[in-house]
Amino acid sequence: MSSSWTTEIEAAVPAPRLFKAAILDWHTLQDPKVGSGKIISASPVEGDIGGVGSIRQFNFASGGPFAFVKERLDFLDVEKFEAKSTLAEGGALGIHVESSSVDIKVEPMAGGSVVKVTGTIKPLPGVNVEEVTEKARMAVTRIIKGCEAYLVANPGAYN
């Protein structure tokens, strides 16, 4: 059975800048600029860069729970700041979850933006779904807040 989770993350950055940095260009903006050192590299590996159906891979530092994650971009609306991606390979896939996807919408608000996230996870039998969803929620929040900090510190970036 699938389980869904939601979160909203406020950011002091306009929606267009945050969407470009956190969603469209995350594979180049990631560690060391905005991350914690957990991601050692990231790059597109299949399809048109940033296009629907494209896949990008994130490689993690040794000692982490996973060596890599590949995510597929399933939906993209640049005008409305919306995207959907699915875990395609690696990460928790086959270990904790049968499938995992995330829908992200960045909405303008006074003084910045709010990122609305809905994740859907189909856990494998015996997996603690609350633990898996909390880890996913925390990971998305770290990405958004890391991008926010980078954009605030670099006001000329992603304009």
Side-chain angles (χ1 to χ4, degrees):
M1 178 188 333
S2 292
S3 176
S4 294
W5 56 272
T6 61
T7 193
E8 292 189 7
I9 308 154
E10 292 187 7
V13 177
R17 288 184 69 213
L18 187 58
F19 187 78
K20 285 178 196 172
I23 308 306
L24 300 180
D25 201 37
W26 175 239
H27 60 278
T28 59
L29 187 60
Q30 54 73 39
D31 286 308
K33 293 179 185 173
V34 301
S36 60
K38 293 180 181 180
I39 298 174
I40 57 172
S41 66
S43 63
V45 293
E46 189 175 309
D48 295 330
I49 297 174
V52 172
S54 64
I55 296 176
R56 54 188 176 178
Q57 179 170 324
F58 300 88
N59 299 302
F60 297 96
S62 61
F66 313 114
F68 72 95
V69 169
K70 288 184 180 179
E71 68 175 17
R72 182 184 62 245
L73 184 62
D74 296 320
F75 173 81
L76 180 65
D77 187 330
V78 178
E79 303 299 318
K80 293 182 180 179
F81 313 122
E82 293 181 52
K84 178 180 180 179
S85 62
T86 299
L87 182 60
E89 187 180 339
L93 194 63
I95 299 170
H96 301 293
V97 299
E98 183 177 319
S99 63
S100 177
S101 64
V102 65
D103 292 286
I104 297 177
K105 181 170 176 70
V106 184
E107 296 181 352
M109 68 172 220
S113 56
V114 60
V115 181
K116 296 182 178 183
V117 183
T118 301
T120 303
I121 295 174
K122 185 173 183 182
L124 291 172
V127 170
N128 181 332
V129 71
E130 289 86 18
E131 184 179 316
V132 172
T133 57
E134 185 57 26
K135 285 180 181 179
R137 183 181 291 114
M138 289 173 31
V140 170
T141 300
R142 276 193 307 271
I143 290 168
I144 300 301
K145 292 312 241 178
C147 286
E148 175 190 29
Y150 177 81
L151 293 171
V152 167
N154 296 277
Y158 295 96
N159 284 315

